[in-house]
Amino acid sequence: WGYIISYHNTTQATIPVTTDDQRSFYWPAVSGGTVIWGDWQHLDGIYVTHLPPASPNQPPQVSLTAPTNGATFTVPATVSFAAAATDPDGRISSVEFFHGTTKIGEDRSRPYAFTWSSVPAGTYTLTAHAVDHAGLTATSAPVTVTVRVPIPNHPPNRPVRPRPSNGATGIPTDVELAWEGGDPDTADA
C-alpha cells in the first residue's frame, strides 16, 4: 500500500509506505526533495491520496474434465486431456498436464487440452496444474486411468464328434446336424 502524490496536479509519484506512521519521503520532482505531510492535507500544491492495501493475488482454479476417473484404454493408448481453468483476479498463463510428478504436456490457451500418445500399459494418476499471471498455481483433483495390454483372441476350437457321424448312411433329409466345439477365450462366450 502507499500514497499517490501529485504536485500542482501535474507530476505524480506512487510512494510505498512501510509503516502506518510514516510521514515523509524523498521526491526529487519537488524543489527541496523531501516532502513531509500531516494527515491527508494539501501542503503548498502537494496533494496526498491514500492508496488502500493491494488485494493479495488469488490462486487460479482448475479441474481435469477428461479423461474421466476410472477410464480404461488399450495399448497403444492415446489419452486425450481437457481442463477447465479460471483465475478470479487475472489470467491463466498455462495449464500443465501430469502423470504423477512427471509433466507430460502443456497448453497456453483455451481450450486447455493435450493428447498423450503411445501410452504404455499401466495405471496412471493424472492431474492438471493451472499457473496464473503472477505464478500462483492450483492442482486439479487426481484422475486414475488404466492402460491394458489387449487380450489375444484365438480362433474357435475345431469341431469334434459330429452327429450324424462322418460316413453315416440312411439319414433322413431333415436331420439336425450337431457337433461339439467351443472358444478357448472365455470372454468371447
Side-chain angles (χ1 to χ4, degrees):
W1 59 291
Y3 301 94
I4 294 179
I5 311 299
S6 63
Y7 183 66
H8 292 287
N9 292 326
T10 58
T11 306
Q12 288 195 349
T14 301
I15 308 301
V17 176
T18 56
T19 66
D20 285 336
D21 62 351
Q22 180 178 345
R23 294 287 186 258
S24 67
F25 62 91
Y26 178 73
W27 189 20
V30 177
S31 64
T34 300
V35 175
I36 300 173
W37 70 87
D39 290 331
W40 327 123
Q41 56 185 313
H42 164 190
L43 300 171
D44 192 27
I46 299 173
Y47 297 88
V48 180
T49 307
H50 178 255
L51 288 175
S55 298
N57 185 31
Q58 299 296 313
Q61 299 165 348
V62 64
S63 62
L64 192 57
T65 58
T68 58
N69 194 38
T72 301
F73 301 89
T74 302
V75 168
T78 298
V79 179
S80 296
F81 287 76
T86 59
D87 187 26
D89 60 355
R91 62 178 173 73
I92 299 295
S93 294
S94 66
V95 173
E96 303 168 333
F97 300 97
F98 285 79
H99 81 80
T101 59
T102 303
K103 180 178 169 182
I104 55 174
E106 179 176 357
D107 196 345
R108 295 183 173 272
S109 61
R110 285 189 177 136
Y112 303 108
F114 170 73
T115 301
W116 187 21
S117 300
S118 301
V119 182
T123 299
Y124 300 94
T125 300
L126 309 175
T127 55
H129 298 216
V131 181
D132 77 1
H133 65 286
L136 284 182
T137 62
T139 302
S140 70
V143 169
T144 301
V145 299
T146 302
V147 177
R148 295 184 180 159
V149 174
I151 298 171
N153 188 17
H154 300 93
N157 294 331
R158 187 173 192 161
V160 294
R161 291 186 279 286
R163 290 176 300 281
S165 63
N166 191 17
T169 59
I171 308 289
T173 58
D174 62 345
V175 69
E176 182 177 319
L177 300 176
W179 61 89
E180 293 178 21
D183 192 334
D185 301 319
T186 58
D188 291 345

